[in-house]
Amino acid sequence: MRAVLVDPQPERAERVRGVLEGLGVTATVASDWDAVALEPPPDVVIVAADLAAQHPAPPGIPLPLPESVVRLALLPEGHGHTPEFLAAGFHGLLYEPVTSIEVARALALARALKQSTTDAAQERQERLQALRMLDTELLLLVELSPSWLPHGLARLQRLLAVPAIAVWEWQAESDSLRCIEQVGLSPAAITAAELASRRRGQLVLTEFTTASVQPTMIAQEASHVLARLALDDGQPVFQTIAFPFRESTRLQGCITFSFVRDRPYHPDDLPLYDAASALVRSALALARLRHETLTSQRLFTDVADQLSIGIIVCTTNGIVTFCNHQAQLLLGEPGIVPGQPFPPRWRMLLDLDWGELAKRPAGSSPQPLRARVRGAGGRWQALEGAVRVVELPDRWGRTWAPHFLLSLNDVTQTERYVLELELLHELTQMVAERRDLEAAFRLVAQRLHDTFGYAYVGLGVLSPDGQRLIGQTFYADGEIAFNEWQVSRGVTGRAIRENRSLLIPDVWHDPDYFPPSPEMVMQSEVVAVLRRDGVPIGVLNIESALGHQLDESDLRLAEQVAAHLELLMGQLELTERLARQAMTDPLTGLANRRALLYHLERLSRVPGKRAALLLIDFDGFKQLNDQYGHLVADAILQQAAERLTRSLRPHDLLARYGGDELAVLLEDVSEGDAREVAERLRRAIAAQPFTADDTPVTLTISLGIARFPEHGQTPDALLHAADTALYRAKAGGRNRVVMADIAEG
């Protein structure tokens, strides 16, 4: 990873570069903007705040950078909260002194941005859409052109950007494989492969296609490799993935996609190749079907019933003449019955205009079809296909007449795969950006309902005592409710107690189940456990309405979403912990100087705000330090901080300003109230000795008070007025309270 640090202060720049290099980052230091315009661009750009502020407001970088470059502003210690940098497009802020943990978090963000899959997922989705459009074109080519296969493979190669595609067919007489068509492979390599398959074609085909989900590495000694394959340009094939096609359940051949070393197979592209092979298989089957229907309508029926796509044939007046088994499965009820009219409900769902279709000539462009239907188990299915006008023979084969040929394919899993990727990617972005948990849950709940049809989604976080789940629920009507329940009841409670995710297909047969509300009738429930270091910290709960039965795919999705929510919760807790540490004094546990300055700065942004600042100094604390040592002095300072805290309101700010000097910020108080609080603090310290090595030690404090806005409207002015008043209190005999004069403000 590469970083550019733009900082006009050499010493500070070298310190930051040391931290970067300690984390394995190659860092370039520059005092101006020239280094930012490196080619290729760096992964991270860190800019000193004073240099960024020189750019026209809001502060920024006066050079164009790719969106993947992480921009960080480096602020001097005590600078306080600076939202203008974040508003100007910086991804984060680094404060001096820069620590390794803060830089490591920034680098993690850089890696998350570089590894973003937005473009890749979008490209896959576009290619899947293009494949669906090519399906209609290829099936039309089958009907109109004898050279449909080489044209179709060439289109697929360009669309998928794959080096080579081949279709292999088993030859029963010689028990060998023959390449019936290919694009991208060397003819000599094809010939060698065909010769190598003689007398072992079925063996090669069986072994080759068993690796259809993972790429087959091309190795000379592998038993399933025909021969060393190569491309037209001589490059050796590095990987091959194969998809079989069958006739009557017997392996009849396979479709292979081959890759070279510099263009390897990527597992995320598997749905693309699966869809492409299904397209070719359907076209091959339809080509055989087209040829065979010229002589036998019965053979048409036999072949069509072997297809993985639904086929329906109707006359132009709407009478069904054929419907294969797959079409019946896809459409379900009401059934498609040969000899009966095509059901009006399916005409409407598939958007079929029967009269307009009847005007089209045979061989005209097909009309695409798309519909969402409820299939078996009440689950939504996405169907895609086309309707074509074709000429088919009558039952005796003597006359030919126009018919409507409908082809339908179930693309539910492919569509679900893309939708799951989109959801998980959005969650990944929320983790990288440390978005709040409520926003993440709203996104998850809305997507799970709208996209996957879940009726109820709940997120519960385990209470600190481990006895309750506290969370929010999303209902099908869009309502979000907040609730809590005991871990001793329900399926969610059982999942927490057993520390395992649960799938309940039929909730009414589960003794632990209770409905989200009395009027809701549910079918199934999925509970995914959220964990921290293996220990449950919450649950993601999904329920489906009656008739929609959940299965393992729903459980898998819930567990993936839960894993992202776990990561987000961890990131938020880490961010909050680091923020607290950055604003906390490690010795006393009080707010530190940075926190005090932040709250003082905030005063000036609230119109009409009134407040008082008390500066506290311990009288004679140096002598105490010299007499007893630092450890004892620190212990007394801690005791004093606790005593002062007990004398203040919960919302008053007590901070360690530096050394033995403390500060109190009182908001919405009058001058008299401020004096009263200061006197109460003074008496609390002086009233009772502190203990040091079993020796009582008496301390007193002096206090200076400055009022906002009378004595100052900026942090520096207010601190100066309070410090001047404190000096007068010390000079006037100590152990007293002095209010600043207007002249001191």
Side-chain angles (χ1 to χ4, degrees), residues 450-472:
D450 294 348
T451 304
F452 302 101
Y454 303 140
Y456 170 94
V457 182
L459 175 65
V461 179
L462 202 60
S463 62
D465 61 8
Q467 300 303 308
R468 292 167 296 128
L469 283 163
I470 305 168
Q472 48 190 322

Side-chain angles (χ1 to χ4, degrees), residues 167-232:
V167 180
W168 305 82
E169 188 177 68
W170 179 61
Q171 306 295 300
E173 300 78 12
S174 58
D175 187 20
S176 62
L177 292 181
R178 180 173 68 91
C179 181
I180 61 174
E181 195 55 64
Q182 63 87 21
V183 58
L185 292 175
S186 161
I190 291 292
T191 301
E194 290 176 340
L195 289 174
S197 73
R198 291 184 65 83
R199 302 303 174 197
R200 61 188 191 99
Q202 271 290 324
L203 173 65
V204 170
L205 190 59
T206 301
E207 292 189 7
F208 209 7
T209 55
T210 55
S212 61
V213 177
Q214 295 295 331
T216 300
M217 304 298 293
I218 296 297
Q220 191 67 44
E221 63 275 0
S223 62
H224 54 264
V225 172
L226 307 177
R228 181 71 72 172
L229 295 176
L231 302 187
D232 280 332

Side-chain angles (χ1 to χ4, degrees), residues 23-99:
L23 294 170
V25 178
T26 303
T28 302
V29 175
S31 58
D32 52 37
W33 299 109
D34 292 341
V36 178
L38 293 175
E39 288 294 338
D43 302 295
V44 181
V45 172
I46 304 174
V47 182
D50 48 356
L51 185 62
Q54 296 173 11
H55 190 56
I61 299 176
L63 294 172
L65 289 174
E67 291 185 3
S68 61
V69 177
V70 175
R71 306 162 182 79
L72 304 173
L74 176 61
L75 280 69
E77 186 176 10
H79 198 281
H81 186 61
T82 50
E84 64 270 18
F85 287 97
L86 299 178
F90 284 89
H91 295 96
L93 307 175
L94 295 176
Y95 289 93
E96 285 193 86
V98 173
T99 63

Side-chain angles (χ1 to χ4, degrees), residues 342-660:
F342 194 87
R345 174 173 179 265
W346 290 118
R347 286 197 193 185
M348 183 171 60
L349 280 175
L350 297 172
D351 194 21
L352 290 172
D353 186 338
W354 226 253
E356 187 63 32
L357 285 172
K359 298 176 184 177
R360 296 188 176 193
S364 59
S365 298
Q367 174 187 324
L369 302 176
R370 183 173 178 83
R372 285 178 63 84
V373 301
R374 279 199 181 275
R379 300 178 64 85
W380 282 106
Q381 293 183 136
L383 303 182
E384 287 189 353
V387 56
R388 301 165 179 79
V389 181
V390 297
E391 285 194 342
L392 293 176
D394 61 19
R395 56 191 296 185
W396 300 279
R398 292 194 295 264
T399 61
W400 290 71
H403 285 70
F404 299 145
L405 175 64
L406 285 77
S407 58
L408 292 171
N409 194 22
D410 184 356
V411 296
T412 307
Q413 289 304 316
T414 301
E415 186 176 86
R416 182 184 177 105
Y417 176 82
V418 173
L419 293 172
E420 287 181 5
L421 279 181
E422 290 177 352
L423 172 60
L424 296 178
H425 172 68
E426 288 193 56
L427 275 173
T428 301
Q429 281 188 314
M430 297 186 102
V431 171
E433 297 168 3
R434 293 174 177 83
R435 301 272 291 279
D436 65 87
L437 185 62
E438 184 174 339
F441 173 71
R442 285 179 179 272
L443 165 74
V444 167
Q446 191 72 54
R447 282 295 187 85
L448 291 179
H449 168 255
D450 294 348
T451 304
F452 302 101
Y454 303 140
Y456 170 94
V457 182
L459 175 65
V461 179
L462 202 60
S463 62
D465 61 8
Q467 300 303 308
R468 292 167 296 128
L469 283 163
I470 305 168
Q472 48 190 322
T473 55
F474 180 93
Y475 295 93
D477 58 4
E479 176 190 357
I480 286 191
F482 296 87
N483 57 359
E484 64 177 79
W485 62 99
Q486 299 292 321
V487 298
S488 59
R489 65 191 294 249
V491 177
T492 51
R494 190 168 84 224
I496 287 287
R497 297 193 302 273
E498 298 178 1
N499 192 11
R500 66 187 182 98
S501 299
L502 298 173
L503 166 63
I504 313 298
D506 191 347
V507 294
W508 300 105
H509 290 90
D510 190 286
D512 291 327
Y513 176 76
F514 65 91
S517 62
E519 65 274 9
M520 297 186 74
V521 181
M522 297 298 189
Q523 176 74 48
S524 303
E525 182 173 14
V526 162
V527 180
V529 179
L530 282 69
R531 301 178 179 87
R532 175 76 40 75
D533 298 325
V535 178
I537 59 172
V539 293
L540 176 67
N541 182 34
I542 292 171
E543 295 188 36
S544 62
L546 191 64
H548 179 185
Q549 190 168 77
L550 305 183
D551 58 21
E552 293 293 336
S553 66
D554 301 292
L555 177 61
R556 175 182 54 81
L557 175 60
E559 289 181 327
Q560 289 175 336
V561 172
H564 281 72
L565 294 177
E566 289 171 8
L567 185 58
L568 179 60
M569 291 173 66
Q571 291 278 37
L572 293 174
E573 290 178 8
L574 175 62
T575 301
E576 291 173 0
R577 185 165 64 251
L578 292 175
R580 288 194 299 271
Q581 291 173 354
M583 293 290 191
T584 304
D585 173 55
L587 174 64
T588 62
L590 301 177
N592 62 10
R593 181 189 183 95
R594 177 183 291 177
L596 176 65
L597 292 173
Y598 167 74
H599 284 278
L600 291 177
E601 179 72 30
R602 184 172 54 83
L603 288 177
S604 61
R605 298 196 296 269
V606 182
K609 193 72 173 177
R610 303 187 63 82
L613 174 65
L614 284 58
L615 280 187
I616 303 171
D617 188 74
F618 288 87
D619 301 326
F621 198 82
K622 182 179 183 306
Q623 292 83 351
L624 174 68
N625 218 337
D626 294 341
Q627 181 178 355
Y628 293 102
H630 290 293
L631 293 179
V632 172
D634 286 349
I636 291 178
L637 190 60
Q638 289 171 331
Q639 296 175 42
E642 293 174 2
R643 195 178 296 182
L644 292 173
T645 299
R646 291 195 297 270
S647 299
L648 292 169
R649 300 173 299 181
H651 58 274
D652 294 333
L653 177 68
L654 176 62
R656 187 181 181 189
Y657 186 59
D660 62 326

Side-chain angles (χ1 to χ4, degrees), residues 301-366:
T301 302
D302 293 341
V303 174
D305 268 332
Q306 301 297 324
L307 294 178
S308 59
I309 63 173
I311 296 291
I312 305 170
V313 180
C314 302
T315 63
T316 54
N317 59 358
I319 302 301
V320 177
T321 61
F322 173 76
C323 178
N324 73 346
H325 179 66
Q326 185 64 19
Q328 296 283 12
L329 290 178
L330 292 177
L331 297 182
E333 297 296 335
I336 309 295
V337 181
Q340 297 294 320
F342 194 87
R345 174 173 179 265
W346 290 118
R347 286 197 193 185
M348 183 171 60
L349 280 175
L350 297 172
D351 194 21
L352 290 172
D353 186 338
W354 226 253
E356 187 63 32
L357 285 172
K359 298 176 184 177
R360 296 188 176 193
S364 59
S365 298

